[in-house]
Each structure stands twice: as C-alpha cells, then as structure tokens.
Amino acid sequence: MAWFKKGKELKADKKVKIPEGLWVKCDNCREIIYKKEIDKNLQVCPKCNYHFRISALERLKLIVDEGSFIEMDEGLSSSDPLKFRDRISYREKLEENRKKSGLEEAAISGEATIQGHPVILVIMDFSFMGGSMGSVVGEKVLRASETALEIKKPLITVASSGGARMQEGMFSLMQMARVSAAIARLKEGGVLYISILADPTFGGVTASFAMLGDIILAEPRSLIGFAGPRVIEQTIKQQLPEDFQRAEFLLEHGLIDKVVDRKELKKTVAQIIRLMA
Amino acid sequence: MIKYYLDFEKPIEELELKIEELKRISDGKDMNISGEIRRLEKKARDLRTEIFSKLTPWQKTLLARHPDRPYTLDYINIISEEFVELHGDRKFSDDKAIVGGIAKIGNDTVVIIGHQKGRGTKERIKRNFGQPHPEGYRKAFRLMELAEKFKKPVITLIDTPGAYPGIGAEERGQAEAISANLMLMSRLRVPVISVVIGEGGSGGALALSVSDRLYMLEHSVYSVISPEGCAAILWRKNGDLNADDFSKASDALKLTAQDLLQFKIIDDIIPEPLGGAHRDVEQTAKNISEKILEALDELRAKTPGKLTEERYKRLKKIGSFVEES
C-alpha cells in the first residue's frame, strides 16, 4: 500500500497549470473541472454539488420563464449622501462596479412568470460591491414589495449580500427598517413572500427582508448569518465548526424551511406558489 | 469617586485637580485662595465649553462610550415614578443586555425597553457589554406585543456596540430576531418613541429603534458600522490601526446626532449638560423625559391606523438616490 500513498503525495505536490477560462478548480472539492461541464450544470460542480456563485442575470435565466422578465426601477442610482471616500470616492467605486458587473446596482427587480405563475422578483448580485444594500437596493425591495401587494402576486427575493453598504452610512442601515416595514404590509395583505438565500447572505440583508419570508429556501452549503465568520472568530477566539453558518446548519437549527439544489429551485418555487394559491 | 477623563479632557482634568488641591489647603478660610479658586473654576468651565463646542465625531464616539455615561436603568430609575422590570423571552433565557418593563412616566403608563451596559467588570460581563443575543430581542418583542395589547406607548433607549457576534447567537437566529423586531415595530398600533442615549451600534441598535420619533442625546452616535470596523475594512494595514484611522473613519461615517439631524434621519437632539450626560445625570434624565412627554402628547391624539401609516411614510422618505425615467 505504501507506494499508493506516495503517489498521492506526488500528485498534490505537482503544480497544475490551468489554462485561463477553460478549466475551473472547484472551491469545495478542489477538483479541476472542464468549465463547459460546469456551465452545462448551472454552475454547480458535477463532482461534489458545490454551488458556485452566479450573477443576477444568470440567476434570472435559471428561475424565470424565458422572455417573461420585465425590469422595473432600473433608473435608480445612489446619490452619495455622505460624500464618502477612502482611496477613491464612492461615486468612482460605483462606476467601477458598474463596469465590472454590467449592472447598475447590486440588485435587479421586475415582474416575470415562473412556470406560468406571475411574480414580482428581486435578485441580488454579489459581484456588485459585495451585494451590499444601500438606498437603491432598499428602494427596489420596497417598491417590489409594494407592487406585489398591489397586484396580489407573490414576491420572490434572491439574497446574496455582505450586508448594509457602509459608504451610505445610516441611510443604508435604515434600509433594513424600510424593507422590513414593506414586508410587514405584504404579510398583512396576505401576499406570499418566498425568500431564497444564496451564498453568501449576511448582516443587514439577513437581518431584514431575507429572514422575513413566509417560506425561506437556501442553496446547498450557502454561507448565511448575521455576523461574518471572521468577526465571530475574532470575538470568541475559537475556531468555528466546519459546517457553521452553512445552509444545512441553518436548516438543522430551524431557521430556514428547505435546502434546495439549484436545478430544483424553479420547480420548487413554482410548486409552492401553486399549492399556496 | 474617581472621575474618569478622556484624553481630550486632560487639560480640564489638570485644572480640576489643581482646584481640588487648593480647596483642600484653604479649607474655605483664606480669602486670597478662594478668589484664586473662583478664577480657576471659571477657567475650567470656559475650557470645557470650548472643548465641548467642537468635539470631533471620534471624540463624540468616545464620549458615547464613556465608562461613567448613564445607562438605560439609570435613566429609568430617575424618569419613572414606578417601574416593574419584566424578564425573559419565554423561549430560552433572560438576556441581561436588554432590560424592559412597565413604567409610569408623568401620568402615562408606558412599556420601556433599552440596551443595558454594565459598570465594573462583573456587571459588564453579566450585561455582555450591552451586546444582546437573540433572546434579548425576543424579550423586547414580547414586551412590545404586551404594550400593544394594553394600548401602552413603547419607549426605547438605545445603547449598544451591536448585537453579539457569537456561535450561540447565530444558532438561535440573531438575524431572524432582529428582522422580526423591525417588522413588528413598523406596524405597532401604539406610539413608539426611541432615544439614542449612547452608542447606536448598527442592526443591534436598529432592532429597538423603528419609531414614530427618533431622538439622540447631543453626544451620542448612531452608525451602520463602528469606526473601528470601518477603518479595518478600508485600511486593512497589518492590523495595527490607530486613533487617527478611527478618527478618519468616524468623520466619513457621519454618525453624530448633528449629522443625522441634518440628514433628517432623526427628529431632534436632546441637549446634554456641559461636559456630557455623566456630569449631571439628573438634568440629562429630565431633558429626556421632557422630550418623551412632549412627543407622547403629540402622538396620543393619533388613531392607531394613522400612527402606523405615518410611521411607514417616515421610513419611506429615508433614502438617497436619483431616478432616471
């Protein structure tokens, strides 16, 4: 058996050069996988079922009926109330992120159908300033919620966020209150709200609309929590358990309804809407 | 009692020590010395007025965290004629970082809830430095529902570095507990008045401050993230951040009562005595209670439906964006 072990070590030592874009190393199982295979599999690792982060637009394709999405409130943009700047100004940072992500903000919203069911939808994008919630994201969630209430159609949100957007200071923090107030009205109006949590969902987003769903779904192994793991580690000065703040951990602790594979997500949402109608 | 002076108060400390020294020597007899004492006392007062008239946001942050600063229970004990503290969330435990109960203020019975910090090592630990677990927010939730059921106004006092970041807190749903409070408070059918008395630390502070009237004490702060946290994110330079970095971060965050009044995020500022709330707790408590009673008078006249409608409208206004059509 000894030479087997040796063989394994050798393999680990060897530096593998990966041609840009053609092969991808899975963040979870470390396997090198042909990128097209992952693309075909909805950005899920075919070896270990690890769900790669996806953009809001990819998410949209995956969850709504083709050609059904009509964007709302796409003209909203932040007005930099604090005149915040670190190395670069907040305005420049926004511009950078727009170029990088091809999006105007960290969330898109609109109406669409899911297997024929009309819904109002908000999808966050982690690649835009860490999916942080400032005034614009808050306003989009608020308006989406009000529209859902008005037309009595379910609200679906897909969260993926580091939390409140520091660069807008208290304006960001107050978005948590605003969106929670809008969801409260939705609930009183008897309108279904399904909250989907994707990797990662933290801080002010978790502690507001993301945890307020009538039904809360999460993608496998998504990191979800209030405080980030690094902050917790620094506070308690202990190493965190391996599965800590993973979707499965939240399920185990009774905080979410269901962990749903990406390929089942659309079907599951449609099923819930149909059953709750 | 040994007084605690912050760094920027050192010149005042020196003067006051000198005054005390002179008083001890003179024992009230020597006329020449008592003249000198009066002169120094005026000088100390002028110096304090000058220093406190131009505090930086970071200095205000330090003042808001001053170890002698009055805490929730200090104020409750002064402003309420009667107070019955109520405990526990009925689910898991009694979180001592949030206190609450029924109180009589003026002619009103109110439910009063606030973050509670501790004084001295033992009590600080007991109060978890004012950082609540989910149970604290759930206790607050229960008390607010109680208030609604018996049509009593809700008063909240805000003073926390933030909700506690720990394993148990996450396991028991810190985020859910906070979000549930935000939702409940937005639709409570009784008046809700919030006062930031010290530190308004992010979501953990917000979870008690969705209200009809939001006030801040003159030297309190309210922020989406602590200056230390902000500095660590912006200037992550080998971990050794200093007061200069925190100072810059506090400037950028616009976390003072004065900034937030300008942004119309809060409704008014409650003045503090010269030198800060701890210099005259009675006076500060009186200022707070007057403001609360004034707001109550105004809010009492509104029907529950109007209250919740106006509260929602107030929230809706808080955003900073432009819209292209």
Side-chain angles (χ1 to χ4, degrees):
Chain A
M1 291 299 281
W3 54 273
F4 256 129
K5 230 175 165 180
K6 204 167 184 180
K8 233 180 183 171
E9 274 165 22
L10 271 175
K11 193 179 164 193
D13 284 341
K14 212 157 116 192
K15 280 246 158 91
V16 187
K17 265 231 161 145
I18 310 163
E20 196 66 42
L22 205 53
W23 297 85
V24 176
K25 190 168 166 187
C26 173
D27 297 338
N28 183 48
C29 67
R30 309 265 160 221
E31 286 273 346
I32 312 289
I33 301 148
Y34 193 39
K35 189 167 180 309
K36 277 197 179 147
E37 221 181 311
I38 294 180
D39 290 344
K40 225 170 42 198
N41 201 30
L42 315 174
Q43 305 300 319
V44 175
C45 173
K47 296 279 192 299
C48 73
N49 200 34
Y50 174 76
H51 285 52
F52 285 85
R53 284 178 195 165
I54 56 174
S55 71
L57 294 174
E58 284 174 296
R59 172 77 61 190
L60 187 66
K61 270 188 228 151
L62 210 128
I63 198 170
V64 305
D65 301 335
E66 207 183 327
S68 72
F69 181 72
I70 304 164
E71 192 173 357
M72 318 184 299
D73 306 317
E74 65 270 36
L76 292 172
S77 62
S78 171
S79 60
D80 189 15
L82 272 52
K83 309 270 173 290
F84 196 98
R85 66 172 300 132
D86 44 282
R87 265 177 232 98
I88 57 169
S89 72
Y90 174 41
R91 277 170 192 276
E92 287 168 304
K93 190 161 263 171
L94 284 170
E95 207 40 60
E96 258 181 21
N97 276 273
R98 284 188 190 117
K99 283 196 187 120
K100 192 181 76 183
S101 66
L103 293 170
E104 281 302 303
E105 253 293 344
I108 53 170
S109 61
E111 43 185 298
T113 60
I114 295 178
Q115 294 193 347
H117 301 284
V119 297
I120 300 296
L121 189 75
V122 182
I123 302 176
M124 302 190 80
D125 194 308
F126 192 74
S127 72
F128 192 102
M129 288 190 77
S132 54
M133 175 162 69
S135 297
V136 172
V137 172
E139 184 69 12
K140 285 190 180 187
V141 175
L142 184 137
R143 289 190 190 178
S145 184
E146 286 189 338
T147 308
L149 177 63
E150 199 183 303
I151 64 171
K152 302 273 178 208
K153 298 295 176 216
L155 173 70
I156 318 289
T157 62
V158 184
S160 180
S161 170
R165 186 173 296 170
M166 189 173 73
Q167 288 83 352
E168 287 183 36
M170 280 299 289
F171 284 95
S172 293
L173 192 73
M174 294 308 284
Q175 299 311 311
M176 293 170 65
R178 295 177 88 220
V179 298
S180 302
I183 302 291
R185 292 162 76 91
L186 194 63
K187 292 209 169 182
E188 277 171 6
V191 174
L192 177 65
Y193 170 34
I194 302 174
S195 169
I196 301 163
L197 313 178
D199 184 63
T201 302
F202 277 94
V205 168
T206 322
S208 64
F209 69 91
M211 286 309 285
L212 291 174
D214 295 305
I215 289 166
I216 306 177
L217 309 176
E219 286 199 329
R221 289 193 62 75
S222 302
L223 270 176
I224 302 155
F226 176 65
R230 227 181 324 154
V231 173
I232 297 175
E233 244 167 14
Q234 280 166 8
T235 308
I236 64 171
K237 302 192 167 58
Q238 283 173 40
Q239 258 208 319
L240 299 169
E242 203 278 321
D243 69 332
F244 185 64
Q245 293 183 322
R246 297 281 174 194
E248 295 74 12
F249 173 93
L250 272 85
L251 184 71
E252 188 61 34
H253 285 93
L255 295 167
I256 59 175
D257 288 289
K258 201 171 163 55
V259 176
V260 183
D261 272 6
R262 193 169 283 164
K263 59 177 182 295
E264 302 290 330
L265 204 50
K266 182 175 182 177
K267 203 174 76 188
T268 306
V269 170
Q271 184 187 23
I272 293 167
I273 296 174
R274 180 168 50 75
L275 290 172
M276 295 297 281
Chain B
M1 196 181 84
I2 301 163
K3 284 183 195 147
Y4 184 95
Y5 291 87
L6 295 166
D7 275 347
F8 61 86
E9 294 177 298
K10 288 292 178 219
I12 306 171
E13 181 180 15
E14 279 167 25
L15 267 176
E16 289 191 336
L17 286 176
K18 208 163 157 191
I19 293 166
E20 264 169 47
E21 178 75 29
L22 282 176
K23 277 184 178 166
R24 214 173 25 243
I25 297 168
S26 77
D27 207 13
K29 283 169 207 147
D30 191 325
M31 288 310 287
N32 288 337
I33 295 185
S34 54
E36 175 70 3
I37 290 173
R38 269 199 303 279
R39 197 183 63 79
L40 286 177
E41 278 175 339
K42 183 180 181 309
K43 199 173 162 195
R45 207 165 41 243
D46 291 348
L47 191 60
R48 180 168 279 131
T49 309
E50 201 207 322
I51 290 176
F52 275 77
S53 67
K54 46 185 184 196
L55 291 178
T56 67
W58 176 239
Q59 287 170 336
K60 280 189 184 259
T61 307
L62 295 174
L63 201 57
R65 299 172 181 168
H66 196 290
D68 294 336
R69 198 166 172 88
Y71 300 143
T72 292
L73 284 173
D74 299 323
Y75 289 127
I76 290 180
N77 288 331
I78 297 172
I79 68 179
S80 55
E81 284 161 46
E82 295 177 63
F83 176 58
V84 182
E85 189 178 345
L86 302 172
H87 293 274
D89 66 346
R90 299 283 193 271
K91 293 180 171 82
F92 185 79
S93 74
D94 181 41
D95 187 339
K96 292 167 186 67
I98 287 183
V99 295
I102 323 162
K104 198 164 174 219
I105 298 181
N107 295 317
D108 290 281
T109 300
V110 301
V111 166
I112 188 161
I113 305 164
H115 302 93
Q116 181 65 38
K117 292 180 178 176
R119 231 176 280 288
T121 311
K122 217 169 140 190
E123 212 208 331
R124 275 193 199 126
I125 290 166
K126 174 179 150 189
R127 302 289 183 189
N128 200 29
F129 305 88
Q131 302 169 96
H133 281 78
E135 296 72 49
Y137 295 112
R138 290 179 184 135
K139 168 161 71 177
F141 188 100
R142 183 174 79 80
L143 295 183
M144 289 190 279
E145 280 194 322
L146 182 77
E148 187 174 47
K149 181 172 172 186
F150 294 97
K151 302 189 173 62
K152 305 299 178 205
V154 172
I155 314 291
T156 64
L157 302 180
I158 312 302
D159 189 17
T160 178
Y164 186 67
I167 293 179
E170 296 290 322
E171 284 175 337
R172 302 195 296 275
Q174 187 74 287
E176 188 278 337
I178 292 171
S179 68
N181 277 17
L182 299 179
M183 190 154 84
L184 173 72
M185 291 186 89
S186 77
R187 60 169 186 75
L188 272 183
R189 294 171 65 79
V190 292
V192 186
I193 300 162
S194 301
V195 183
V196 183
I197 56 170
E199 268 185 287
S202 196
L206 185 71
L208 292 187
S209 62
V210 182
S211 52
D212 300 305
R213 294 291 179 272
L214 175 56
Y215 302 121
M216 284 176 77
L217 279 182
E218 190 180 343
H219 304 306
S220 65
V221 293
Y222 199 172
S223 182
V224 66
I225 186 170
S226 69
E228 291 91 333
C230 175
I233 291 171
L234 294 182
W235 307 294
R236 213 180 277 152
K237 48 174 196 193
N238 307 329
D240 48 341
L241 293 157
N242 56 36
D244 271 355
D245 299 312
F246 304 149
S247 184
K248 263 193 284 176
S250 336
D251 290 343
L253 284 167
K254 302 276 189 287
L255 44 64
T256 67
Q258 293 70 25
D259 286 324
L260 297 175
L261 182 65
Q262 211 172 4
F263 289 146
K264 297 199 170 86
I265 285 174
I266 65 166
D267 296 280
D268 209 350
I269 296 171
I270 301 175
E272 291 184 32
L274 181 59
H278 59 289
R279 292 273 160 184
D280 191 345
V281 188
E282 292 280 337
Q283 184 60 49
T284 315
K286 191 163 164 266
N287 296 351
I288 292 174
S289 125
E290 275 170 9
K291 198 76 204 172
I292 290 173
L293 290 174
E294 181 194 307
L296 272 181
D297 268 346
E298 205 188 319
L299 296 169
R300 206 186 337 253
K302 300 179 195 288
T303 63
K306 194 167 163 65
L307 270 178
T308 51
E309 199 52 43
E310 286 185 3
R311 200 178 302 143
Y312 185 62
K313 276 190 190 144
R314 279 164 52 83
L315 283 174
K316 270 186 81 168
K317 276 190 224 149
I318 306 175
S320 176
F321 52 80
V322 286
E323 185 164 25
E324 262 172 60
S325 48

